[in-house]
Amino acid sequence: MSIPRVIHSTIHILIFVLLTACSDSSKSNWTILVYLDGDNDLAEANIEDMAEMQTGANNEQIRILVQFDRPDGIPAKRYEIQTGITTELEDIGEVNMADGATLTEFLHWGKSKLKDNNDHVVLILSDHGNGWDQGIGPPSEKPTISGRSLFVDWDNGVNNVALHNHKVREAIEAADINIDILGLDASIMGTIEALYEFSSLADILISSQEVGEASGWDYEYILSRLSNNSSMSEEEFAKLVVESYENYFETRIYPEKSNTFDQRYTIAAHRSVNIEPIVNELDNIALNLLAGMSDDLLQDSLLEELDQARQNVQEIDKYNQFDVYIDVADFAQLLSYDTDLPQLVSSATIADYHGKGRPNANSISVVFFNPPDAWAYNTCDPHYKNWDELSVSGNKGKFINNTSWDEMLAQYYSLVIPSYNEIGENHVCNTLFE
């Protein structure tokens, strides 16, 4: 079946020559800002991360500035790591790492430590994470983390509330600091919802589609190689991070996992300037799917095609929050639709790695809740819709508000979910976008 293309895409694959390639040559130092939120069950792994950074950073041109918070009332501290030495610079007491103001203050402090404009500036946000920008909910409803967005802080009594992606963006913007690379050492941040939200913050974004290990990035591997070649470009650094991830899992984790299905880890580096064309093309696809679902002659065959594509697409996160995320390029290839989306994703990708358990992962995911069976009651989320000021509900993320993707999902569910009679009229999917 051919889906009518009511909006012709004028997007061409961007052949992007980084302007920073020229500026890179004038930069000889690296300042790496690490916002290390260990005020949760990642504390022990983060202590190991600190040790890895100290071992790996053995070049005076590489300086790491860390804010590290741990649970059980241990005060947050700021450190400098350089030439194999860790120096405590400040004891800042108990702070809420899941508060945007705390992140902004850390970046103000980091900015004050920059010596000049001769630094590559890398910001790494390290903690739990999970994808799309969580909705707010009505005033009477306390928002819960549900595994989404960034940062969990136990000591402040808000361990069930994450810092929404749009609030992370606003916190970084408020610091008014130039960042070359934004690294998200957290799970499920390789979604288009997150990448689009952060695309204005740095030239390069590094994130994972999948859930990660508590150990996070291999900082010793990354920093030791950067120390041996501090003149590398920012794209080369991004490739190094991806390489380190692949090396860690292929040589240390996967040999112990005989089941290919368990080899599910992923990571990718993207050029931020190439994210918006992907968003625009996803919007085009959504608009054309909406048109097809409104056509009585095409509706049945289109719904069947969509159902087949959703069931056969590369699923992401089958362990913790299944039936929520799909790979965008794989999904586009399963539709009979004339789209440049796979090529646009490829053009945006500097480097990517995916284990054998994710054979059709192409570095970027999107939310597409799978219509639930009788046993799957928690698939859909009522916050995945445009923000509404009157009801104080919905979502403030850029992707949902700037595209028709959520409206396309709403139309799809309204047509297919009534067939799941055993679920009942009050299932959250049936009221998702009212």
Side-chain angles (χ1 to χ4, degrees):
M1 184 203 71
S2 177
I3 301 171
R5 193 170 177 80
V6 296
I7 294 184
H8 178 70
S9 173
T10 59
I11 299 172
H12 298 285
I13 299 173
L14 295 178
I15 302 174
F16 178 63
V17 179
L18 281 177
L19 295 177
T20 54
C22 296
S23 60
D24 277 0
S25 62
S26 66
K27 295 181 178 181
S28 58
N29 300 313
W30 292 80
T31 294
I32 301 175
L33 305 170
V34 184
Y35 191 74
L36 195 61
D37 182 4
D39 198 340
N40 48 57
D41 58 348
L42 295 177
E44 292 302 317
N46 289 163
I47 291 172
E48 294 179 8
D49 288 338
M50 290 283 291
E52 290 176 5
M53 293 176 200
Q54 177 174 300
T55 302
N58 52 37
N59 183 323
E60 64 180 9
Q61 291 180 296
I62 300 167
R63 186 172 52 142
I64 306 167
L65 300 172
V66 185
Q67 180 165 305
F68 182 25
D69 191 20
R70 289 188 280 170
D72 302 321
I74 299 174
K77 296 182 179 181
R78 289 171 175 167
Y79 301 89
E80 179 182 68
I81 302 173
Q82 193 170 30
T83 59
I85 300 172
T86 299
T87 304
E88 180 182 324
L89 300 181
E90 292 185 39
D91 181 332
I92 59 174
E94 179 53 44
V95 296
N96 183 0
M97 296 286 278
D99 187 330
T102 306
L103 175 56
T104 300
E105 175 57 29
F106 165 68
L107 293 174
H108 279 309
W109 173 78
K111 183 179 178 181
S112 72
K113 297 294 183 181
L114 295 177
K115 296 178 180 178
D116 49 38
N117 294 322
N118 199 33
D119 287 12
H120 303 276
V121 178
V122 180
L123 172 61
I124 298 173
L125 305 179
S126 177
D127 192 15
H128 288 296
N130 196 341
W132 66 276
D133 196 5
Q134 181 186 0
I136 305 300
S140 61
E141 179 184 341
K142 185 177 182 180
T144 59
I145 183 172
S146 301
R148 297 189 193 93
S149 302
L150 282 163
F151 305 124
V152 182
D153 190 299
W154 284 358
D155 279 348
N156 286 278
V158 291
N159 56 298
N160 63 333
V161 179
L163 186 59
H164 307 152
N165 291 334
H166 69 275
K167 289 187 176 294
V168 175
R169 171 181 53 78
E170 291 168 357
I172 296 173
E173 289 174 340
D176 191 26
I177 182 173
N178 292 323
I179 301 167
D180 299 306
I181 300 172
L182 174 61
L184 301 167
D185 187 1
S187 297
I188 312 291
M189 300 308 294
T191 66
I192 195 63
E193 289 88 353
L195 294 172
Y196 186 42
E197 197 70 46
F198 302 143
S199 60
S200 63
L201 301 176
D203 295 329
I204 295 173
L205 304 173
I206 306 174
S207 60
S208 299
Q209 284 182 282
E210 263 295 345
V211 174
E213 288 280 332
S215 55
W217 291 4
D218 188 343
Y219 290 101
E220 181 177 349
Y221 186 107
I222 296 166
L223 294 170
S224 62
R225 283 155 180 78
L226 178 61
S227 294
N228 291 334
N229 180 21
S230 61
S231 64
M232 69 172 59
S233 70
E234 287 153 9
E235 284 212 0
E236 288 171 332
F237 177 86
K239 291 176 182 178
L240 173 60
V241 174
V242 173
E243 174 192 300
S244 72
Y245 209 77
E246 177 176 6
N247 177 74
Y248 177 78
F249 285 103
E250 293 291 342
T251 64
R252 296 169 61 180
I253 301 297
Y254 291 162
E256 301 175 3
K257 297 179 181 292
S258 58
N259 188 346
T260 299
F261 181 77
D262 290 329
Q263 300 180 18
R264 63 188 188 274
Y265 299 96
T266 68
I267 192 170
H270 295 104
R271 303 178 184 94
S272 296
V273 72
N274 291 72
I275 297 300
E276 187 166 1
I278 296 170
V279 170
N280 291 339
E281 186 61 5
L282 276 169
D283 190 34
N284 278 340
I285 291 173
L287 289 167
N288 281 278
L289 290 173
L290 277 167
M293 285 187 280
S294 299
D295 189 321
D296 291 338
L297 297 176
L298 294 176
Q299 186 182 97
D300 289 345
S301 57
L302 175 56
L303 290 176
E304 181 179 354
E305 180 176 354
L306 272 175
D307 180 66
Q308 288 297 310
R310 182 59 186 83
Q311 303 316 312
N312 293 310
V313 72
Q314 177 64 73
E315 191 89 43
I316 303 296
D317 188 9
K318 294 181 180 179
Y319 283 80
N320 297 301
Q321 196 176 0
F322 47 81
D323 286 341
V324 174
Y325 300 107
I326 63 170
D327 185 89
V328 297
D330 190 46
F331 179 71
Q333 291 171 329
L334 291 170
L335 296 175
S336 58
Y337 180 77
D338 180 19
T339 175
D340 293 333
L341 189 58
Q343 294 90 339
L344 288 168
V345 171
S346 178
S347 295
T349 306
I350 298 169
D352 95 290
Y353 162 71
H354 51 270
K356 296 181 181 66
R358 296 292 180 266
N360 297 316
N362 295 277
S363 80
I364 298 178
S365 307
V366 70
V367 168
F368 193 139
F369 305 109
N370 202 13
D373 295 320
W375 55 269
Y377 280 84
N378 297 312
T379 300
C380 297
D381 191 302
H383 298 309
Y384 197 86
K385 63 179 180 180
N386 292 350
W387 173 253
D388 181 71
E389 291 286 353
L390 292 177
S391 62
V392 196
S393 65
N395 182 275
K396 288 188 176 181
K398 289 167 57 178
F399 178 78
I400 293 173
N401 286 279
N402 292 356
T403 74
S404 297
W405 189 259
D406 56 314
E407 286 85 359
M408 182 275 293
L409 294 180
Q411 179 68 3
Y412 174 63
Y413 300 136
S414 71
L415 294 171
V416 301
I417 286 178
S419 65
Y420 295 85
N421 297 321
E422 64 271 45
I423 290 176
E425 294 180 359
N426 294 323
H427 187 273
V428 67
C429 284
N430 288 333
T431 58
L432 185 60
F433 300 93
E434 291 181 355

